[in-house]
Amino acid sequence: MMSPRRLLLACASGVVLLSATAAPTLVLAQSAPASATQQAAAWPQANSDLPADPAVRFGTLPNGMRYAIMRNATPPRQAALRLRIDAGSLSENDDQKGLAHFLEHMAFNGSTNIPEGEMTKNLERLGLSFGGDTNAFTSFDQTAYTLNLPNTSDEVVDASLFALREVAGELLFNTEAVDRERGVIVGEDRIRDTPSYRATKAMLPFLAPGQRLADRLPIGDLDIIRTAPRDRFVDFYRAYYRPERATVIAVGDFDVDAMEAKIREKFADWTNPAPNGSDPDLGRLQPRDAETRIHVEPGTQSTAQIYWTKVHDAAPDSVATRRKDLVRGLALAVLNRRMSEISRSANPPFLGGGAGYQSLFNAVDAATLVVAFNPGGWQRAIEAAEQEQRRLVQYGVGQDELDREITEYRTALTASVAGAATRQTTGLAGSLLNTVNDDEVFTAPADDLKLFEAAVTNLTLAEVNAAAAETFAGNGPLAFVTTPVAIEGGEAAVTAAIEASRQVAVTAPAVAAAVEWPYANFGTPGTVTARTEVADLGTTFVTFANGVKLTVKPTTFDDDQILVSVRAGNGTLDLPSDRAVPMWAAGSEVTEGGLGKLTKTQLDRVTASNVVGAGFGADPDAFQFSGGTRPEDLALQMQLLAAYFTDAGWRPEPFDQVKGQIGTQLDQIAATPGGAFGRYGVPMLYSGDKRFGLPTPADIEAAQLSDLRQVITDSIARGPVEVIVIGDVTVEDAIAQTAATFGALPTRPVAMTPSEAAARVRFPAPTAEPVTINHTGAAAQALGYVAWPTLDAIGDRKPSRTVSLLARVLQLRVTDELREKQGVAYSPGASATASTVFPDYGYAFVQAETPPDALPGFFKSVDDVATALRDAPVTEDELNRARLSAVESIRRSQATNGYWLGALENVQDDATQLAAIRTSISDLEAITPADIQKAAQTYLLPDRAWRAQVTAQAAAQ
C-alpha cells in the first residue's frame, strides 16, 4: 500500500523539505515515534487488525535489524534495495544541525572496505548510474539509501548489499574527505536557496512555534557544516546508525529465500556497542487563536495557506483509523471538487486551490486550505476559499457528490487490484519505505479494496458531514500568505479580511444536473486495407480506408494499462518561426476547454467511473493527443480522444487563466539561475527562433486564443492520422475501437509539406566570452553553461549515439572535477541532444551552478576536460562505467509501455526508426575509446563552443 503521507518532496540526492506551495495531502499519516530502546520496533502488523501483504516477507535479525523482501518481476531481472535509518534532522542536537544530511553524503566517501571515491565507481561498473540508480535522501525523521539494480545476478546483488552494509556500520569520516565535502554541502544549500525554500523556512516556525520542527530543516546550519569536527559526525553516526534503527528493503525479480539468506549473511554481524541515540522531544502544540503571517518573497507564487492545527494523533494503524481517514478524505474530496470547478469559471477568484489533512512529522496535525492567486488578488481568493470551506461544514455534502467520490475511489482501487501483479519494482520499494517510516501496515491492493467496501457500506451523509466539521476544528485559522509584493495593511488586514469573510452568510450548494456521454457514434466503422506484422518487435501495422494508420503493440509490462497516442499535423514544423504562437497555453486550453457538447466539469462527471485521460502537446513533427486507460474502458478512451480531435471546446476561460498567470510564473522562473537560463538562454540555443523557448512579456500581451486555435486546427485537419496503442490490449480490440472512432472519420486532405525554412534550426554562433544572463535571485547563485554544436539523429543513429555516450563521459569527468575535487558545484551536469526532425541540429553541453567567483574556474575546467578528451582516448573502465548505465537505462525503459509509445512514433513512414529501435543497445556496445576520442576531436572544439553565464541582477549592476 502506498503511504498516505504526501507532504515530503524527495530531492534528487539531498534533503527532503516541506513544500510551501504544494497542495496538501488528503489522508492523515498514522505514524508514531519509534522506540529508543535497544530492541527493534515490532512490525506494525503485530499490533494491528490490518493484514499485511502476504507477498512480503517481513523479518528481524537477532541484532534487531528489520527487513522486508518482496518478489516482483516488473521489470524482469531487476531489483531495488533500500536501507532506511530511523533518524533525520529532528534527531540532531543543536550543535549537529545539518549533520544527518552531511553524513548521508559521507556514505559515498570511504568506508572500512571501500576506499574513498570507489563506491560510486564500483556501482557504475555494475551498471548503476550515480544519481539515477545510486542515491540517498535525508528528511526530518529518516535517512534512506537507494540502489536500483540493473539485474539480479549474484555479482550485482552481493556488491550492492555489501555497499549498504558498509554504509550501515563501516564509514570512516576521514578528516580530509569531510573537509572536501563541506563545499559540496554549501553548494547544495546554495542551489536549494530558492523562493519556495525560503517560504518553507518561514512557514515552519509559524506552524509549530517553540517546537523542534521549527528549526530543523535537513540542510542544517552552514556554520556547523563548515566547522563541525570529525568527532561530531562520529557521535551522530554511532548514536543512530545501528541495527535496531535500520530496515533493509529488497524488491525485485529474485528468489525470496536466496535474498533473505544474502541479507542475513551481510548484516547479521552488524553490531554497535555505543548507546542508542535518544528520540527527539518534538515539543508541545501551543493553543492559538486566529493569526496571520505574511512572507514577502520576490519570485514566488502568491498563495494563502490556512491551517487549523491539533495535537498529533498517534493512534496506531488499524481498520478504525483507516476508516476515519477515508471518511475525512471523502468529505475533503467533495470540497476539492467544488474548488476545482470554481477555478474553471470565468474570472475565477483563485487560480487553483485544495484542502487536506496531514501530519507534520508527528509534531502537529493540521487541516489545510490552500489557494493560489495572482499578486494583488489575495482578498478575493481567501474569501472565496474560506466561504467554500464553511459551506461544506454548514451544509455538508450531497448524496450525489458523495456517491461520485466513492465511485472514483472505488475505480482507482479496482484499477490497483487489476494491476497489482505488474506493479513497478521501484514504486513498491518506495511504498514499503514510506510505510516503514510512517509505522503503517503494508497492505495488498485487494485488501485495500475490501477495507474500502466495508467502510463505505452503510456510510451516511451525517457521518461524512460530522467528519468535515471535525476536520476544520482546532487552533486557527492560521493564515500563512506568501506573496512577491507587500500587502497593504499587512497581517492585520489579512486577519481582518478572514474574520469579515467568516461573518458572510453562505448558501447551500446547487445540485449539478445529470449529463450523458454524447460522443459514442462517429459514423460507419472504417475498414482495414492493409495489415503488417513486425514479429521481432511484437508490433502490428494497420491502415484504414480513410488513411488512418494504427500501430499496436500488446505487452505484459503493466496489467490493466493501455496507453494511446494520436498524432496529426506537422507540430512545431507548422508554427511560424518569426512570430510567437501561444503554444504555452495549448495543453491547458485544449484539455481544460472541454468538448463542444461538454464542459470539462461535465466531462469529469460523466467519466467518473471510468479510467480514461486526455492530454495534448506539440511534438516537433506532429500535434499529439494522448490518454491512458484499461481494457474495459478502451472504447470510451478512443471516443474521448476522437471527441477532442473533432470537437474540442476551445472555451476562453482556460486560455485567459493561463495568460493571466504566466507572467508571474516567468518571474518565478527567473528567480533562480537554472530557471533564468531556461527562460532566456534556451531561445538563444535556437538563434531566437520563435518556435522554441518561453514567451516574452510582449508575446504574452499579444497572445490570442484565435491564433492558437487556427494554427492547431488547420494543422491537424490535413494529412494522415497516426494512432498508437500500447499495453494490455489485443490487436483485434485495438483495430475495432480505432475503426469505430478515427477509422470512421472522413478521408482527409493531403498534408501540407513544411517549407525548407521551417525545417531549419540554427545553433548560435560561438562565443569567445560568455553571454551574460541575469536572474533575480540570491547574489551568491550563478550558473555556467558551455555547449558545442553536434549533429542530428535522422537516419543512422550511431553517430548521435556516440555523441550521447561522449556526453556521459563528460558527466563522469565534470562530476569528478567540479564536485569531488574542487567542491564548487553540487550537481554539475552534461548531456547531449540530437533532433530527429531538424537536419544538422544537435548539441552537447555542460552546466553547473556555482558561486559567481567560481565561474572563470568553471569555464577553464570544462575546457580542460574537453581538451583531455580530445588528446587521449578514455580508458576502457571509464567508457564501460558510462556505457553500462546507458545500456541498462534502455533495457529498463524497454520494459515499460511509455518507452514503446514514443519509440513507435512515425515508424510506418520512416523505416530507419525501426532500425533505431533494434540497434539502440548494440550501437552503444560497439562504441570504442577511439570513437569517443574522435567524437571529442570533431565536436568539443573551443572555437565552436557557445558559452553563457547566469548571474544575479544586483551583481551585474
Side-chain angles (χ1 to χ4, degrees), residues 19 77 184 238 322 330 369 458 551 656 736 751 782 869 883 903:
S19 171
R77 298 178 298 281
V184 175
R238 293 302 178 202
R322 290 203 185 182
L330 289 167
L369 186 66
N458 300 321
T551 299
D656 293 341
L869 288 170
R883 174 168 42 212

Side-chain angles (χ1 to χ4, degrees), residues 52 60 75 89 92 108 132 193 225 254 296 303 366 410 578 588 610 636 645 668 761-762 794 824 847:
T60 305
S89 60
E92 297 165 344
F108 300 94
D193 188 19
I225 289 167
F254 47 65
V296 179
T303 61
R410 179 180 290 118
D578 59 348
S588 178
N610 306 102
L636 180 60
F645 188 79
Q668 296 166 28
V761 176
R762 293 184 299 107
I794 300 171
V824 297
Q847 69 175 31

Side-chain angles (χ1 to χ4, degrees), residues 34 62 88 110 119 200 278 320 391 393 405 529 561 566 584 593 610 661 730 755 779 804-805 855 926:
M119 179 180 289
T200 298
S278 62
R391 194 189 323 277
V393 172
E405 301 309 333
T529 59
Q561 183 194 72
V566 179
W584 38 267
N610 306 102
Q661 68 187 72
T730 66
S755 67
S804 177
L805 193 52
L855 284 172

Side-chain angles (χ1 to χ4, degrees), residues 807-825:
R808 283 182 170 264
V809 175
L810 267 173
Q811 174 72 68
L812 295 179
R813 293 207 176 182
V814 297
T815 298
D816 185 61
E817 180 62 33
L818 298 173
R819 175 179 168 130
E820 303 303 331
K821 293 181 180 177
Q822 299 183 25
V824 297

Side-chain angles (χ1 to χ4, degrees), residues 739-792:
T741 51
F742 291 94
L745 301 180
T747 301
R748 295 162 58 78
V750 176
M752 296 293 292
T753 302
S755 67
E756 185 177 343
R760 290 291 172 184
V761 176
R762 293 184 299 107
F763 190 81
T767 54
E769 294 297 324
V771 174
T772 296
I773 297 168
N774 292 143
H775 68 82
T776 59
Q781 297 175 328
L783 179 144
Y785 188 96
V786 180
W788 301 266
T790 56
L791 74 170
D792 61 49

Side-chain angles (χ1 to χ4, degrees), residues 387-545:
Q387 290 168 28
E388 201 60 39
Q389 172 265 322
R390 195 154 36 85
R391 194 189 323 277
L392 178 79
V393 172
Q394 184 171 338
Y395 293 101
V397 306
Q399 187 65 53
D400 62 326
E401 292 180 303
L402 178 59
D403 290 345
R404 176 179 176 181
E405 301 309 333
I406 288 175
T407 296
E408 293 222 347
Y409 268 64
R410 179 180 290 118
T411 299
L413 289 169
T414 301
S416 294
V417 172
T422 53
R423 289 171 290 176
Q424 291 288 316
T425 285
T426 53
L428 284 167
S431 296
L432 273 164
L433 180 66
N434 288 338
T435 55
V436 171
N437 191 52
D438 295 339
D439 200 28
E440 291 178 334
V441 180
F442 185 85
T443 47
D447 288 325
D448 291 339
L449 181 57
K450 289 178 184 177
L451 290 167
F452 169 80
E453 295 294 359
V456 298
T457 299
N458 300 321
L459 178 64
T460 65
L461 287 176
E463 187 176 358
V464 176
N465 294 336
E470 191 274 337
T471 296
F472 293 101
N475 291 334
L478 307 173
F480 185 83
V481 180
T482 304
T483 171
V485 295
I487 292 177
E488 185 176 354
E491 292 162 349
V494 175
T495 301
I498 294 174
E499 183 56 34
S501 178
R502 294 173 71 183
Q503 306 309 312
V504 175
V506 294
T507 58
V511 178
V515 291
E516 300 292 334
W517 178 244
Y519 293 99
N521 188 352
F522 290 87
T524 303
T527 58
V528 174
T529 59
R531 175 170 173 166
T532 304
E533 311 291 333
V534 184
D536 66 317
L537 297 181
T539 301
T540 301
F541 297 156
V542 178
T543 302
F544 292 90

Side-chain angles (χ1 to χ4, degrees), residues 465-723:
N465 294 336
E470 191 274 337
T471 296
F472 293 101
N475 291 334
L478 307 173
F480 185 83
V481 180
T482 304
T483 171
V485 295
I487 292 177
E488 185 176 354
E491 292 162 349
V494 175
T495 301
I498 294 174
E499 183 56 34
S501 178
R502 294 173 71 183
Q503 306 309 312
V504 175
V506 294
T507 58
V511 178
V515 291
E516 300 292 334
W517 178 244
Y519 293 99
N521 188 352
F522 290 87
T524 303
T527 58
V528 174
T529 59
R531 175 170 173 166
T532 304
E533 311 291 333
V534 184
D536 66 317
L537 297 181
T539 301
T540 301
F541 297 156
V542 178
T543 302
F544 292 90
N546 65 351
V548 168
K549 296 180 180 181
L550 168 66
T551 299
V552 188
K553 180 177 173 61
T555 72
T556 57
F557 303 140
D558 289 284
D559 289 347
D560 237 35
Q561 183 194 72
I562 302 173
L563 301 183
V564 182
S565 171
V566 179
R567 292 161 48 84
N570 294 314
T572 303
L573 287 168
D574 276 346
L575 301 179
S577 60
D578 59 348
R579 67 178 180 86
V581 174
M583 289 304 300
W584 38 267
S588 178
E589 168 57 37
V590 173
T591 56
E592 287 294 309
L595 302 171
K597 299 175 184 178
L598 295 173
T599 66
K600 185 60 166 63
T601 296
Q602 292 171 324
L603 177 58
D604 288 347
R605 189 177 302 129
V606 78
T607 60
S609 61
N610 306 102
V611 177
V612 293
F616 179 80
D619 286 349
D621 58 348
F623 290 106
Q624 177 174 280
F625 297 82
S626 59
T629 188
R630 57 186 177 178
E632 65 192 80
D633 289 329
L634 179 59
L636 180 60
Q637 177 66 73
M638 297 302 293
Q639 291 169 10
L640 175 63
L641 294 180
Y644 267 111
F645 188 79
T646 60
D647 191 31
W650 293 105
R651 291 176 175 82
E653 290 84 3
F655 184 85
D656 293 341
Q657 186 176 40
V658 175
K659 184 176 179 179
Q661 68 187 72
I662 190 170
T664 301
Q665 292 174 341
L666 291 176
D667 289 343
Q668 296 166 28
I669 289 171
T672 64
F677 183 83
R679 180 175 181 181
Y680 304 115
V682 168
M684 297 180 188
L685 291 171
Y686 295 87
S687 298
D689 191 315
K690 282 291 190 177
R691 295 174 293 178
F692 303 94
L694 297 170
T696 66
D699 294 335
I700 298 169
E701 179 66 26
Q704 298 292 325
L705 175 58
S706 58
D707 190 20
L708 177 67
R709 178 175 183 173
Q710 181 176 353
V711 167
I712 294 174
T713 55
D714 286 354
S715 182
I716 67 174
R718 307 180 67 89
V721 175
E722 179 187 26
V723 180

